[in-house]
Every structure is written in structure tokens, then in C-alpha cells.
Amino acid sequence: MTIEYLKTAQQSAQSHDSDTTATVQAMLAAIRSGGEERVREYARTLDGWNGPIILGPEHFLRADKALSEGVKSDIRFAHQRITDFAKRQRDAMQEFSHEFMPGLTAGQRLIPCQSAGCYIPGGRYAHAASAIMSVGTAKVAGVGHIVAATPAQGAHGMHPAILYALQLCGADTVLALGGVQAIAAMTMGLFGCKPADIIVGPGNRFVAEAKRLLFGQVGIDVLAGPTESCVIADDSADADIVTADLIGQAEHGPDSPVWLISTSRTLAQEVIARAPAVIAALPEPARSAAGAAWRDYAEVVLVSTPQEAVQVSDRYAPEHVQVMARDLDWWLAHLSNYGSLFLGENTTVAYGDKCSGPNHILPTRGAARYSGGLSVGKFIKTLTWQRLDRSAGSAVGQVAARISRLEGMEGHARTGDIRLHKFFPDQAFELGSLDDYPAESWSGTPAADTTANT
């Protein structure tokens, strides 16, 4: 086994920012006590927005008029691909009812959340695609009420492309809010909105921390960190394309890790050599962001075999994994830890980010080891149900009573006893007793103590 790092990261994306936590905690406390007025104050001071928080029809009409037909057509194209994929996901989820033994029928229902809050980031970029990924997917899932929040860009207000996408997707309410105040408003049900059952959507570190601190009061999709991308490439890959894809993802921000894993030393060295020129050719602010990300967070790893490449990639568990190598089906079968997988030279992360179909709200910082990204399933509760007739109750009730007593839970056992005695008064059952399971046989605790605690 030979794994060699030709370039290592100077900083770790795993570090915790205690200052961010303190800031978000203080803001949430202020909003809890000050309510809508404190939220309006944050909108004025942090976003430079003095207009209405709830956007009305006139805002969407202006957005429609501000966009060219070409831009609107592109947004509709993205909406069609993304919602088509979401519908396939929804169709793959199944309700069922099954008789598991005579008289015992159980099953599951798929019930959408009643309300969802969708955060669409602002900042340097107009994230129209994020609006579709969150609101469009929630709509396909059947969520009853969808609130979207997106920050204003000072007096200019919300980007028209985002507003057009939100209207196309069917958002019920749109708030001109960003950051912590947006997450808090949707969670707490301010401005006449229903409190969200779940909050989804990417954002900066303050948004991510607000979601983390509010989790439990509200559901969340993922705790998103900086965007991550990994390229796996062999000697058949084009060094120019590999470099462009790595640097293209690094422009997300100065702390966005990018990783190259290659079985080819020549390719890896060519990418390292070409990266500075590709970065220098970008306009600002992308140039500075990509330059810092490449300098501080990028890694280039040389491996001997595809199996080693899988091992390294799965250890990273990247948000995005691109494979530019032979035998793409082998990689699809063997890679396990990623948010989304992009196979072949014709496929790049930017396609998935914008319009190809699968959702781009994905796990980061290793969370792909145990979680996938946003899907219709995040908005749908899988709820179980069961029904027993008397015959099934006779069989199940005896076992449940005995297991309850084995566990020392006499109250549970008696809920079975009372039914068996009512429905089968002339029948004798073996229901067990605490004496059958003396506590000293496994813990050294006297049986009398166990009885006293039930």
C-alpha cells in the first residue's frame, strides 16, 4: 500500500469557531425576547433593508420584469430537472400494509411535514438554484406551508432571479431576511407564519450555527460547512479539466477544501503546476477565495490502486466526488461515502449545483459517512401503525408480558395481562413473574429491590 501526499492542507476545516457560537446565542436570545421588532432591527443593521419583511405580489412582478426571457427559461429548465428527480424519489418511497401473522396487521404511512422553512443564501452570488433545490423539493414532498427566506442586498432588495424561482416553485410566504434572524423567524413562526417543522438550506457559518442551536425545537436537513469537492483521476484524465473543476469549486470560499486523489503522479504534478494560473485568471472575488482555499485547504494524494483511492475518498467523505477514470461502473459500485457522485469527464459538480436534477444541499465535514443530502424524504415522516385482533392479541400479549417482566417493567406487563384476562377469561396463560427473573442472577441486586422499583 502506497499513499503519498504531494500537497497537504495547512488548515483544518473541522475547527470549531467559539466566537460564532457566542454571537448566534446572543442573537437568538435577543430575538426570543424582542420578537419581530428585533428581527427588523437585524434586517436594517446587517442586511441594510428597510422595506417590508413579507414580500408581496408587487415584488414578484418587478422580479419577473427585471429578468430576460433567456434567464427565466434557464430557471424553468433547472426547475423541471430538479423537481422531476424529486418526484422520482417520492415515487420510490412506499406505504404498505401487511398481515405479519393471522390477526396482526402493521404498516407505514408517509406523511409530509406541515410546514417547512427554506433558507436561500444571498451574499456574493444569486443562488436561484438553491431556491429550487429547497422549495421545489418541499413542494414535491407535499409540505402544507412553505416559508422561504432570503437576504436583501441593501436597498436593492432581493435578487430577481431568486424571487422568480421562489414564485415558480410555489413558496407560500417569502421573507426578506438573512442570517440568524431568518432562521429564528422561521423557527419561531414570526410575521404571521406557521412555525417551521423543519429548516433546510445552505448558508454561512452563522446560519449553520443557528440551525445547530435550534435543532430539537425544529428539524434540520444537514449542518452544512464550507463546500467540499474531491476529484478521483487516473492517467486517462485531462489535467486541464481536473484543474478547472477543483479551482471552480474552490471559488465557493476561502475555507472550501478541494482534494485530488490520483493513481498518476504525472497528472497530479501537472494539476499542482497549473492551479496557480487557473486561479489567477479568475475575476475577483472568486480569485481571492479560490487562491486561499487552494493554499490552505487543498490536498493532492497519490495512490497506487483504485482500491486505495476509494479508501482515501471514503475517509474524507466529501460533499462532492468526481471520478475521471476508467471503468466508471466500478467506482459507482465501490465508493460509499459522499454527498453526491459525478461520474465521467462529461459530468461536473457545477451541473449538479445548478440544474441537472439531484439536490445540491449535501452533507459536509464527514457527515456523508452516515447521512445523505436533502431529498423529499427529509420533508416526509415515515410513520408506523399496527392493529391486532383478539387471536393475535392472545399470542403477542403473552410474549409481551413475559418480556416486560424480564426487563423488570411490571406496569407494561399488566397492560397485556388485563386484556388477556378480559378477552379470554377461561384460558390460562404463562405470563411470567418477577420471581422467574431474580435480579441477583444477573446484577447481584436482591430481587426485592427490583420488585420495589416496578
Side-chain angles (χ1 to χ4, degrees):
M1 179 182 295
T2 305
I3 298 174
E4 180 182 352
Y5 283 77
L6 303 183
K7 184 184 185 309
T8 57
Q10 303 303 306
Q11 298 189 39
S12 170
Q14 301 295 333
S15 59
H16 180 72
D17 183 351
S18 58
D19 290 341
T20 298
T21 299
T23 299
V24 174
Q25 286 176 328
M27 292 180 67
L28 291 176
I31 292 169
R32 286 191 183 99
S33 62
E36 293 180 3
E37 186 48 46
R38 184 53 63 94
V39 170
R40 293 181 193 276
E41 180 182 330
Y42 283 135
R44 289 191 296 269
T45 57
L46 299 178
D47 297 331
W49 177 246
N50 289 295
I53 299 298
I54 299 178
L55 301 186
E58 67 277 11
H59 296 91
F60 296 100
L61 182 60
R62 283 201 299 269
D64 186 282
K65 291 180 177 179
L67 299 174
S68 69
E69 284 303 317
V71 169
K72 289 188 284 190
S73 176
D74 288 343
I75 293 174
R76 291 193 296 270
F77 177 93
H79 176 259
Q80 188 68 50
R81 303 288 80 70
I82 294 162
T83 55
D84 278 355
F85 189 87
K87 288 172 184 174
R88 288 277 185 172
Q89 287 182 320
R90 178 63 181 84
D91 291 344
M93 301 174 70
Q94 297 288 327
E95 293 191 344
F96 69 83
S97 171
H98 182 74
E99 189 172 35
F100 290 89
M101 61 177 283
L104 193 167
T105 302
Q108 71 177 23
R109 294 189 62 203
L110 304 174
I111 300 179
C113 295
Q114 295 182 18
S115 59
C118 299
Y119 185 79
I120 299 90
R124 308 193 286 273
Y125 307 115
H127 292 279
S130 286
I132 303 170
M133 298 287 178
S134 57
V135 176
T137 304
K139 200 71 175 180
V140 170
V143 174
H145 188 82
I146 303 170
V147 179
T150 188
Q153 301 304 303
H156 297 290
M158 281 52 62
H159 197 286
I162 293 176
L163 293 187
Y164 182 80
L166 290 174
Q167 186 175 43
L168 181 66
C169 292
D172 295 291
T173 304
V174 178
L175 305 178
L177 287 174
V180 176
Q181 60 270 27
I183 303 302
M186 292 188 289
T187 299
M188 299 174 190
L190 302 181
F191 302 100
C193 301
K194 295 181 179 179
D197 297 319
I198 185 170
I199 298 283
V200 304
N204 62 21
R205 69 183 190 276
F206 296 101
V207 168
E209 184 64 8
K211 289 165 69 175
R212 187 183 74 84
L213 291 173
L214 289 167
F215 175 63
Q217 181 178 347
V218 68
I220 62 173
D221 49 354
V222 293
L223 285 173
T227 294
E228 308 164 344
S229 286
C230 174
V231 173
I232 300 173
D234 63 14
D235 60 3
S236 69
D238 184 318
D240 287 330
I241 290 178
V242 171
T243 308
D245 285 356
L246 288 168
I247 302 308
Q249 287 300 299
E251 80 169 343
H252 272 282
D255 54 354
S256 288
V258 290
W259 304 300
L260 171 62
I261 304 169
S262 182
T263 54
S264 168
R265 182 180 295 273
T266 299
L267 175 81
Q269 291 175 334
E270 287 180 355
V271 170
I272 292 173
R274 296 178 192 195
V278 174
I279 293 169
L282 290 172
E284 290 290 2
R287 181 167 63 246
S288 293
W294 178 258
R295 181 189 66 236
D296 295 335
Y297 292 93
E299 294 193 328
V300 178
V301 188
L302 183 65
V303 296
S304 300
T305 65
Q307 289 78 10
E308 288 180 357
V310 168
Q311 175 188 333
V312 174
S313 179
D314 278 354
R315 186 166 64 241
Y316 282 129
E319 180 184 14
H320 311 98
V321 175
Q322 289 182 252
V323 178
M324 288 181 256
R326 299 176 182 85
D327 195 1
L328 297 175
D329 288 337
W330 185 91
W331 297 96
L332 178 61
H334 287 83
L335 287 162
S336 299
N337 297 345
Y338 52 82
S340 194
L341 182 61
F342 302 79
L343 294 165
E345 188 177 80
N346 289 321
T347 314
T348 183
V349 172
Y351 295 172
D353 279 349
K354 308 307 176 187
C355 61
S356 58
N359 208 287
H360 78 193
I361 300 171
L362 301 167
T364 62
R365 294 183 174 178
R369 292 180 295 109
Y370 55 82
S371 178
L374 185 64
S375 69
V376 291
K378 291 286 186 180
F379 298 101
I380 295 175
K381 300 173 291 183
T382 302
L383 306 180
T384 61
W385 60 269
Q386 54 195 275
R387 178 181 295 169
L388 281 69
D389 65 13
R390 290 188 180 180
S391 174
S394 171
V396 172
Q398 299 177 66
V399 176
R402 292 196 296 268
I403 291 176
S404 295
R405 291 192 167 97
L406 170 65
E407 295 175 346
M409 303 184 75
E410 183 62 21
H412 282 60
R414 292 181 184 184
T415 65
D417 296 351
I418 194 171
R419 286 169 170 79
L420 294 169
H421 293 321
K422 175 181 178 179
F423 298 136
F424 306 96
D426 300 324
Q427 188 171 341
F429 295 97
E430 177 53 56
L431 302 177
S433 71
L434 287 178
D435 292 337
D436 296 328
Y437 312 110
E440 65 267 20
S441 68
W442 54 269
S443 71
T445 304
D449 289 351
T450 303
T451 304
N453 290 335
T454 58

mmCIF file of all heavy atoms in Angstrom, residues 21-48:
data_model
loop_
_atom_site.group_PDB
_atom_site.id
_atom_site.type_symbol
_atom_site.label_atom_id
_atom_site.label_comp_id
_atom_site.label_asym_id
_atom_site.label_seq_id
_atom_site.Cartn_x
_atom_site.Cartn_y
_atom_site.Cartn_z
ATOM 1 N N THR A 21 -20.431 30.788 17.802
ATOM 2 C CA THR A 21 -21.439 30.258 18.727
ATOM 3 C C THR A 21 -21.942 31.343 19.676
ATOM 4 O O THR A 21 -23.153 31.497 19.881
ATOM 5 C CB THR A 21 -20.854 29.090 19.539
ATOM 6 O OG1 THR A 21 -20.476 28.042 18.636
ATOM 7 C CG2 THR A 21 -21.878 28.549 20.536
ATOM 8 N N ALA A 22 -21.017 32.110 20.250
ATOM 9 C CA ALA A 22 -21.421 33.156 21.189
ATOM 10 C C ALA A 22 -22.274 34.215 20.510
ATOM 11 O O ALA A 22 -23.278 34.678 21.072
ATOM 12 C CB ALA A 22 -20.174 33.794 21.808
ATOM 13 N N THR A 23 -21.895 34.587 19.292
ATOM 14 C CA THR A 23 -22.661 35.594 18.554
ATOM 15 C C THR A 23 -24.077 35.108 18.277
ATOM 16 O O THR A 23 -25.061 35.832 18.486
ATOM 17 C CB THR A 23 -21.958 35.939 17.229
ATOM 18 O OG1 THR A 23 -20.672 36.481 17.511
ATOM 19 C CG2 THR A 23 -22.765 36.937 16.422
ATOM 20 N N VAL A 24 -24.191 33.869 17.807
ATOM 21 C CA VAL A 24 -25.509 33.326 17.453
ATOM 22 C C VAL A 24 -26.362 33.149 18.714
ATOM 23 O O VAL A 24 -27.567 33.450 18.698
ATOM 24 C CB VAL A 24 -25.356 31.998 16.687
ATOM 25 C CG1 VAL A 24 -26.724 31.360 16.451
ATOM 26 C CG2 VAL A 24 -24.647 32.238 15.362
ATOM 27 N N GLN A 25 -25.786 32.682 19.777
ATOM 28 C CA GLN A 25 -26.547 32.537 21.024
ATOM 29 C C GLN A 25 -27.115 33.876 21.486
ATOM 30 O O GLN A 25 -28.278 33.957 21.905
ATOM 31 C CB GLN A 25 -25.652 31.941 22.113
ATOM 32 C CG GLN A 25 -25.372 30.462 21.939
ATOM 33 C CD GLN A 25 -24.403 29.930 22.975
ATOM 34 O OE1 GLN A 25 -23.509 30.643 23.428
ATOM 35 N NE2 GLN A 25 -24.544 28.661 23.342
ATOM 36 N N ALA A 26 -26.295 34.918 21.394
ATOM 37 C CA ALA A 26 -26.763 36.241 21.813
ATOM 38 C C ALA A 26 -27.887 36.738 20.912
ATOM 39 O O ALA A 26 -28.873 37.326 21.395
ATOM 40 C CB ALA A 26 -25.597 37.228 21.803
ATOM 41 N N MET A 27 -27.764 36.507 19.606
ATOM 42 C CA MET A 27 -28.804 36.947 18.680
ATOM 43 C C MET A 27 -30.106 36.196 18.910
ATOM 44 O O MET A 27 -31.193 36.788 18.897
ATOM 45 C CB MET A 27 -28.332 36.785 17.234
ATOM 46 C CG MET A 27 -27.202 37.718 16.839
ATOM 47 S SD MET A 27 -26.676 37.474 15.114
ATOM 48 C CE MET A 27 -28.129 38.051 14.219
ATOM 49 N N LEU A 28 -30.025 34.889 19.115
ATOM 50 C CA LEU A 28 -31.242 34.115 19.354
ATOM 51 C C LEU A 28 -31.929 34.552 20.635
ATOM 52 O O LEU A 28 -33.166 34.653 20.693
ATOM 53 C CB LEU A 28 -30.910 32.621 19.414
ATOM 54 C CG LEU A 28 -30.469 31.966 18.101
ATOM 55 C CD1 LEU A 28 -30.078 30.520 18.323
ATOM 56 C CD2 LEU A 28 -31.567 32.055 17.040
ATOM 57 N N ALA A 29 -31.140 34.829 21.679
ATOM 58 C CA ALA A 29 -31.731 35.302 22.931
ATOM 59 C C ALA A 29 -32.424 36.646 22.741
ATOM 60 O O ALA A 29 -33.521 36.885 23.272
ATOM 61 C CB ALA A 29 -30.643 35.412 24.007
ATOM 62 N N ALA A 30 -31.795 37.524 21.958
ATOM 63 C CA ALA A 30 -32.395 38.834 21.704
ATOM 64 C C ALA A 30 -33.694 38.709 20.918
ATOM 65 O O ALA A 30 -34.673 39.429 21.174
ATOM 66 C CB ALA A 30 -31.398 39.713 20.949
ATOM 67 N N ILE A 31 -33.731 37.779 19.961
ATOM 68 C CA ILE A 31 -34.945 37.605 19.161
ATOM 69 C C ILE A 31 -36.054 36.970 19.992
ATOM 70 O O ILE A 31 -37.228 37.333 19.860
ATOM 71 C CB ILE A 31 -34.628 36.773 17.904
ATOM 72 C CG1 ILE A 31 -33.719 37.573 16.956
ATOM 73 C CG2 ILE A 31 -35.906 36.352 17.185
ATOM 74 C CD1 ILE A 31 -33.138 36.762 15.816
ATOM 75 N N ARG A 32 -35.693 36.048 20.873
ATOM 76 C CA ARG A 32 -36.716 35.448 21.745
ATOM 77 C C ARG A 32 -37.390 36.506 22.613
ATOM 78 O O ARG A 32 -38.596 36.453 22.853
ATOM 79 C CB ARG A 32 -36.095 34.365 22.623
ATOM 80 C CG ARG A 32 -35.755 33.084 21.891
ATOM 81 C CD ARG A 32 -35.388 31.969 22.865
ATOM 82 N NE ARG A 32 -34.987 30.762 22.151
ATOM 83 C CZ ARG A 32 -33.729 30.407 21.940
ATOM 84 N NH1 ARG A 32 -32.744 31.179 22.409
ATOM 85 N NH2 ARG A 32 -33.434 29.301 21.282
ATOM 86 N N SER A 33 -36.610 37.468 23.092
ATOM 87 C CA SER A 33 -37.182 38.498 23.967
ATOM 88 C C SER A 33 -37.778 39.656 23.183
ATOM 89 O O SER A 33 -38.785 40.231 23.578
ATOM 90 C CB SER A 33 -36.118 39.023 24.933
ATOM 91 O OG SER A 33 -35.053 39.626 24.230
ATOM 92 N N GLY A 34 -37.171 39.997 22.043
ATOM 93 C CA GLY A 34 -37.615 41.167 21.292
ATOM 94 C C GLY A 34 -38.546 40.888 20.146
ATOM 95 O O GLY A 34 -39.156 41.812 19.595
ATOM 96 N N GLY A 35 -38.646 39.619 19.728
ATOM 97 C CA GLY A 35 -39.595 39.239 18.690
ATOM 98 C C GLY A 35 -39.351 39.906 17.351
ATOM 99 O O GLY A 35 -38.214 40.139 16.933
ATOM 100 N N GLU A 36 -40.439 40.241 16.677
ATOM 101 C CA GLU A 36 -40.358 40.759 15.309
ATOM 102 C C GLU A 36 -39.581 42.062 15.229
ATOM 103 O O GLU A 36 -38.856 42.310 14.253
ATOM 104 C CB GLU A 36 -41.764 40.935 14.739
ATOM 105 C CG GLU A 36 -42.490 39.618 14.524
ATOM 106 C CD GLU A 36 -43.883 39.804 13.959
ATOM 107 O OE1 GLU A 36 -44.250 40.980 13.675
ATOM 108 O OE2 GLU A 36 -44.609 38.805 13.803
ATOM 109 N N GLU A 37 -39.701 42.928 16.211
ATOM 110 C CA GLU A 37 -39.008 44.204 16.155
ATOM 111 C C GLU A 37 -37.504 44.012 16.180
ATOM 112 O O GLU A 37 -36.763 44.715 15.483
ATOM 113 C CB GLU A 37 -39.444 45.117 17.306
ATOM 114 C CG GLU A 37 -38.861 46.533 17.206
ATOM 115 C CD GLU A 37 -39.032 47.147 15.821
ATOM 116 O OE1 GLU A 37 -40.132 47.070 15.238
ATOM 117 O OE2 GLU A 37 -38.022 47.695 15.298
ATOM 118 N N ARG A 38 -37.024 43.064 16.970
ATOM 119 C CA ARG A 38 -35.595 42.803 16.982
ATOM 120 C C ARG A 38 -35.142 42.212 15.641
ATOM 121 O O ARG A 38 -34.054 42.531 15.155
ATOM 122 C CB ARG A 38 -35.248 41.863 18.131
ATOM 123 C CG ARG A 38 -33.741 41.601 18.275
ATOM 124 C CD ARG A 38 -32.927 42.897 18.354
ATOM 125 N NE ARG A 38 -33.267 43.687 19.510
ATOM 126 C CZ ARG A 38 -32.628 43.628 20.661
ATOM 127 N NH1 ARG A 38 -31.617 42.795 20.813
ATOM 128 N NH2 ARG A 38 -32.994 44.404 21.660
ATOM 129 N N VAL A 39 -35.972 41.366 15.032
ATOM 130 C CA VAL A 39 -35.649 40.831 13.711
ATOM 131 C C VAL A 39 -35.558 41.961 12.689
ATOM 132 O O VAL A 39 -34.633 42.013 11.867
ATOM 133 C CB VAL A 39 -36.691 39.786 13.275
ATOM 134 C CG1 VAL A 39 -36.502 39.413 11.811
ATOM 135 C CG2 VAL A 39 -36.597 38.536 14.146
ATOM 136 N N ARG A 40 -36.508 42.902 12.729
ATOM 137 C CA ARG A 40 -36.459 44.041 11.803
ATOM 138 C C ARG A 40 -35.177 44.856 12.014
ATOM 139 O O ARG A 40 -34.563 45.331 11.054
ATOM 140 C CB ARG A 40 -37.677 44.940 12.016
ATOM 141 C CG ARG A 40 -39.002 44.318 11.620
ATOM 142 C CD ARG A 40 -40.144 45.302 11.845
ATOM 143 N NE ARG A 40 -41.429 44.654 11.767
ATOM 144 C CZ ARG A 40 -42.088 44.412 10.619
ATOM 145 N NH1 ARG A 40 -41.532 44.787 9.475
ATOM 146 N NH2 ARG A 40 -43.265 43.817 10.632
ATOM 147 N N GLU A 41 -34.777 44.992 13.262
ATOM 148 C CA GLU A 41 -33.557 45.731 13.558
ATOM 149 C C GLU A 41 -32.338 45.052 12.939
ATOM 150 O O GLU A 41 -31.471 45.701 12.344
ATOM 151 C CB GLU A 41 -33.385 45.845 15.070
ATOM 152 C CG GLU A 41 -32.143 46.609 15.500
ATOM 153 C CD GLU A 41 -31.995 46.641 16.997
ATOM 154 O OE1 GLU A 41 -33.028 46.619 17.704
ATOM 155 O OE2 GLU A 41 -30.837 46.676 17.474
ATOM 156 N N TYR A 42 -32.276 43.726 13.051
ATOM 157 C CA TYR A 42 -31.167 43.000 12.434
ATOM 158 C C TYR A 42 -31.204 43.125 10.910
ATOM 159 O O TYR A 42 -30.161 43.225 10.256
ATOM 160 C CB TYR A 42 -31.212 41.532 12.832
ATOM 161 C CG TYR A 42 -30.721 41.246 14.240
ATOM 162 C CD1 TYR A 42 -31.432 40.390 15.081
ATOM 163 C CD2 TYR A 42 -29.545 41.817 14.712
ATOM 164 C CE1 TYR A 42 -30.990 40.120 16.364
ATOM 165 C CE2 TYR A 42 -29.097 41.549 15.999
ATOM 166 C CZ TYR A 42 -29.822 40.705 16.816
ATOM 167 O OH TYR A 42 -29.379 40.433 18.086
ATOM 168 N N ALA A 43 -32.403 43.114 10.324
ATOM 169 C CA ALA A 43 -32.516 43.288 8.875
ATOM 170 C C ALA A 43 -31.970 44.647 8.442
ATOM 171 O O ALA A 43 -31.313 44.768 7.406
ATOM 172 C CB ALA A 43 -33.971 43.121 8.429
ATOM 173 N N ARG A 44 -32.240 45.660 9.260
ATOM 174 C CA ARG A 44 -31.743 47.009 8.931
ATOM 175 C C ARG A 44 -30.222 47.091 9.091
ATOM 176 O O ARG A 44 -29.521 47.612 8.227
ATOM 177 C CB ARG A 44 -32.419 48.052 9.824
ATOM 178 C CG ARG A 44 -33.886 48.302 9.517
ATOM 179 C CD ARG A 44 -34.419 49.521 10.251
ATOM 180 N NE ARG A 44 -34.408 49.345 11.714
ATOM 181 C CZ ARG A 44 -35.437 48.855 12.399
ATOM 182 N NH1 ARG A 44 -36.544 48.487 11.771
ATOM 183 N NH2 ARG A 44 -35.359 48.735 13.727
ATOM 184 N N THR A 45 -29.718 46.582 10.203
ATOM 185 C CA THR A 45 -28.302 46.779 10.507
ATOM 186 C C THR A 45 -27.393 45.798 9.766
ATOM 187 O O THR A 45 -26.279 46.158 9.375
ATOM 188 C CB THR A 45 -28.052 46.650 12.016
ATOM 189 O OG1 THR A 45 -28.510 45.363 12.463
ATOM 190 C CG2 THR A 45 -28.799 47.736 12.768
ATOM 191 N N LEU A 46 -27.845 44.559 9.559
ATOM 192 C CA LEU A 46 -26.990 43.553 8.946
ATOM 193 C C LEU A 46 -27.187 43.426 7.441
ATOM 194 O O LEU A 46 -26.231 43.132 6.714
ATOM 195 C CB LEU A 46 -27.239 42.189 9.602
ATOM 196 C CG LEU A 46 -26.945 42.118 11.109
ATOM 197 C CD1 LEU A 46 -27.263 40.735 11.652
ATOM 198 C CD2 LEU A 46 -25.484 42.473 11.393
ATOM 199 N N ASP A 47 -28.413 43.607 6.968
ATOM 200 C CA ASP A 47 -28.693 43.478 5.531
ATOM 201 C C ASP A 47 -28.933 44.816 4.839
ATOM 202 O O ASP A 47 -29.055 44.870 3.611
ATOM 203 C CB ASP A 47 -29.918 42.578 5.298
ATOM 204 C CG ASP A 47 -29.696 41.154 5.777
ATOM 205 O OD1 ASP A 47 -28.524 40.711 5.772
ATOM 206 O OD2 ASP A 47 -30.671 40.484 6.156
ATOM 207 N N GLY A 48 -29.056 45.904 5.629
ATOM 208 C CA GLY A 48 -29.329 47.204 5.031
ATOM 209 C C GLY A 48 -30.703 47.308 4.415
ATOM 210 O O GLY A 48 -30.916 48.077 3.470
#
